[in-house]
Amino acid sequence: MRLTIVTLLITVFFINLSSFAQTSVPQYPYDDSQTLAYVESPVSHSYTETEVKERITKMKSPIVTMKYTPVVSSYVKTYSLLKRDRTEWMLGRTVMYFPIFEKYLKERGLPNDLKYLSVVESALNPSAVSRSGAVGLWQFMPPTGKEYGLSISSLMDERKDPHKSTQAALTYLARLYKRFGSWELALAAYNGGPGRVNRAIKRGRSKNFWTIKKYLPKETRNYIPAFIGATYIMKNYDKHQLTPVYPEPDLQLTEATKIYQSVSFQQISDVTGVPIRLIEVLNPAYAFQNIPHSREGNYVILPQFAMGSFLQFLGRPDTELTRITVTPPIVGTAVANNPNYFKTTYMVAPGDDIIKVADMFKCEPNDIKNWNYLTSPTLAPGLKLIVYMPKSRDKWTEVASLPSKNFTISQPEFESIEEKDIQLLPQPEPIKFSFFKSNKKDKKVYYQLRRRETLLDITKKY
């Protein structure tokens, strides 16, 4: 009997610590009666609660008053300690979605920090589904989604569409702000509904969130502290030794366009060479790997290099279609500015491949490709690679003890890296489909990709 009770309690505990994206309310339930202390962990020495409190109270936000409370503390702890792997995954996805959010926020004149609301809602997972049925980056319930123009059917769910759901969410937030005159109350209403906020205002006789929060349901009461915790971690993740897990470059450098006809993912893959798995990641709103026809138009998001071929396939000149370019910098080199990393160089030995080198340096193959702007995973013997290594002694010792003499440590001691020692790699030129940089007298050559043909195949031909 005792064993059964203990097993049940353990099960309930782990259910409560489930993934970020399983609910649209603050994802880490917090009991106001508890005082949550920072637990000892392999990285807990990197900061103290006093340091976090000082940073938060010094931060400025156009949306909320940056207060440090026990609830805020619990969210910071969850992001930085308890769920580090998921936080690092989420940080990497900012390069896919923040440029989209920032584009529409700027167009509407709304505060840029509103983009952090999607961190609270979905942990930047466009396919997130809450227990109550809310879906997408901005966690719309079906009635609210339809009210703000999002199509929800067996063929597609625009709550998962990064462009359309963002536009709908910002329209809703702007309306709530106009109604309440406070971003804190607007965010609370986004979570708990305008009716609950109105009732709390009447009971508390105030329009100050911190004054009336005791009259709000618990999940809404903790919503602003959740937003503060998310804002803090997104701006200070490096101080907690969190390393973003960035997606591959084809998911970072993208373009979107509206189309009105039906087209399958297989057709898109055939004419562009983009794998179906990448098309699915970039276009999560569509069921059955098919984009249905629409009078209003549906967004198609593709890697930048593939959009030209896709538009040619549609049979219409590029200039007739509105294209939205999202071009964040390729961020594999961003660790060069991170004081927790130092640069090393490694000379490829015979028999090495990119997976072997990545395993050696405890990183991902895509990191090596990004750091060195490699277009192919094939490594030639003698090639010098740039690799960024964590300054953690444990991880450094693992690599330094390898029986290889091919790598050189640029920063052998665990000292702070001075600005002069950091060499930023040049940004690559964008890929274009005009293969000759011509003058006015020359002819431009355009080439349409064949099925399963890659840019490497074309470079060999020309």
Side-chain angles (χ1 to χ4, degrees):
M1 183 66 178
R2 290 182 177 179
L3 180 61
T4 303
I5 294 173
V6 171
T7 304
L8 180 60
L9 289 173
I10 292 174
T11 303
V12 171
F13 174 77
F14 280 103
I15 289 175
N16 285 336
L17 287 178
S18 58
S19 172
F20 294 162
Q22 295 302 310
T23 174
S24 62
V25 300
Q27 289 79 14
Y28 309 112
Y30 178 79
D31 188 344
D32 290 344
S33 64
Q34 297 177 356
T35 301
L36 219 132
Y38 286 92
V39 297
E40 191 66 29
S41 79
V43 292
S44 62
H45 66 276
S46 63
Y47 67 98
T48 65
E49 193 165 1
T50 301
E51 290 173 332
V52 173
K53 181 178 181 180
E54 184 179 359
R55 292 185 197 128
I56 288 178
T57 53
K58 287 182 178 180
M59 290 175 65
K60 301 295 182 182
S61 170
I63 299 175
V64 298
T65 302
M66 296 296 288
K67 291 188 176 184
Y68 184 80
T69 68
V71 186
V72 173
S73 173
S74 72
Y75 280 95
V76 172
K77 176 187 175 182
T78 302
Y79 283 125
S80 62
L81 293 177
L82 300 180
K83 301 290 183 182
R84 287 181 63 83
D85 56 339
R86 295 192 180 105
T87 300
E88 290 179 330
W89 180 92
M90 177 181 68
L91 287 165
R93 265 51 192 174
T94 59
V95 298
M96 294 177 63
Y97 301 115
F98 275 12
I100 296 174
F101 301 164
E102 291 164 357
K103 164 186 164 57
Y104 293 117
L105 286 165
K106 184 177 180 180
E107 287 179 357
R108 295 166 182 249
L110 299 176
N112 191 59
D113 280 9
L114 279 176
K115 63 188 178 186
Y116 301 127
L117 183 62
S118 183
V119 173
V120 179
E121 288 290 338
S122 66
L124 299 182
N125 178 5
S127 298
V129 181
S130 76
R131 290 189 290 268
S132 60
V135 170
L137 289 164
W138 301 94
Q139 290 290 280
F140 275 104
M141 293 292 288
T144 311
K146 291 179 180 179
E147 180 184 351
Y148 285 88
L150 300 179
S151 176
I152 304 171
S153 70
S154 60
L155 298 179
M156 63 187 299
D157 189 340
E158 290 184 337
R159 292 177 295 175
K160 299 179 182 180
D161 185 293
H163 288 273
K164 289 189 176 181
S165 67
T166 298
Q167 294 176 68
L170 298 188
T171 299
Y172 186 28
L173 286 166
R175 184 174 296 180
L176 291 172
Y177 177 73
K178 184 177 180 180
R179 178 172 179 175
F180 293 106
S182 160
W183 280 117
E184 291 178 336
L185 295 180
L187 296 187
Y190 188 91
N191 171 257
R196 287 176 176 171
V197 174
N198 271 331
R199 289 192 290 273
I201 290 173
K202 290 179 181 178
R203 292 183 65 185
R205 297 180 181 180
S206 171
K207 283 194 172 185
N208 183 296
F209 169 81
W210 301 98
T211 301
I212 68 168
K213 74 182 185 75
K214 60 185 177 183
Y215 301 111
L216 292 167
K218 185 175 181 180
E219 63 184 47
T220 306
R221 184 168 67 238
N222 291 343
Y223 197 68
I224 301 303
F227 183 84
I228 293 173
T231 301
Y232 167 80
I233 209 68
M234 299 306 285
K235 294 184 176 183
N236 295 274
Y237 66 86
D238 58 315
K239 296 180 179 65
H240 296 266
Q241 299 182 3
L242 290 163
T243 304
V245 180
Y246 292 113
E248 52 197 286
D250 285 344
L251 295 179
Q252 296 181 37
L253 306 176
T254 62
E255 285 189 349
T257 189
K258 264 190 176 182
I259 66 170
Y260 301 86
Q261 64 212 65
S262 176
V263 62
S264 70
F265 286 6
Q266 186 64 59
Q267 288 175 300
I268 298 174
S269 180
D270 288 344
V271 300
T272 63
V274 180
I276 290 179
R277 67 174 180 84
L278 292 186
I279 300 173
E280 287 183 311
V281 172
L282 292 171
N283 300 273
Y286 306 111
F288 312 115
Q289 296 185 350
N290 185 77
I291 302 171
H293 71 274
S294 170
R295 292 183 179 180
E296 291 77 26
N298 291 321
Y299 282 104
V300 180
I301 305 175
L302 293 173
Q304 284 182 12
F305 79 87
M307 186 58 77
S309 295
F310 178 62
L311 295 178
Q312 286 184 357
F313 164 73
L314 294 180
R316 298 171 64 180
D318 298 9
T319 53
E320 291 186 12
L321 294 175
T322 301
R323 298 167 65 177
I324 300 172
T325 303
V326 176
T327 315
I330 295 182
V331 292
T333 59
V335 293
N337 285 322
N338 192 326
N340 297 316
Y341 285 77
F342 59 90
K343 185 171 71 172
T344 77
T345 58
Y346 175 80
M347 182 178 292
V348 177
D352 281 350
D353 58 36
I354 197 166
I355 296 177
K356 181 179 178 181
V357 176
D359 288 342
M360 184 187 305
F361 288 95
K362 311 298 181 185
C363 63
E364 297 295 325
N366 273 332
D367 292 334
I368 294 175
K369 288 180 66 176
N370 290 348
W371 292 332
N372 295 276
Y373 297 110
L374 300 177
T375 57
S376 167
T378 304
L379 302 180
L383 175 67
K384 285 189 176 181
L385 297 176
I386 292 175
V387 182
Y388 290 93
M389 294 174 57
K391 294 177 69 177
S392 164
R393 289 183 182 271
D394 294 337
K395 292 186 178 181
W396 186 87
T397 303
E398 289 178 17
V399 177
S401 63
L402 293 173
S404 171
K405 299 180 180 179
N406 287 27
F407 65 89
T408 303
I409 304 300
S410 303
Q411 189 77 14
E413 300 297 330
F414 294 93
E415 302 170 348
S416 61
I417 300 177
E418 298 182 10
E419 187 175 353
K420 62 183 177 62
D421 296 325
I422 298 173
Q423 297 181 5
L424 294 178
L425 297 179
Q427 292 294 322
E429 290 295 324
I431 299 172
K432 299 181 180 179
F433 279 82
S434 175
F435 289 94
F436 298 96
K437 189 174 181 182
S438 59
N439 55 39
K440 294 182 179 180
K441 296 180 180 180
D442 293 333
K443 292 182 179 180
K444 291 184 179 179
V445 176
Y446 292 90
Y447 185 90
Q448 184 165 345
L449 289 171
R450 297 180 181 179
R451 186 174 183 178
R452 294 190 178 90
E453 193 171 37
T454 66
L455 290 176
L456 184 59
D457 298 328
I458 298 172
T459 57
K460 290 179 180 178
K461 290 182 181 181
Y462 289 89

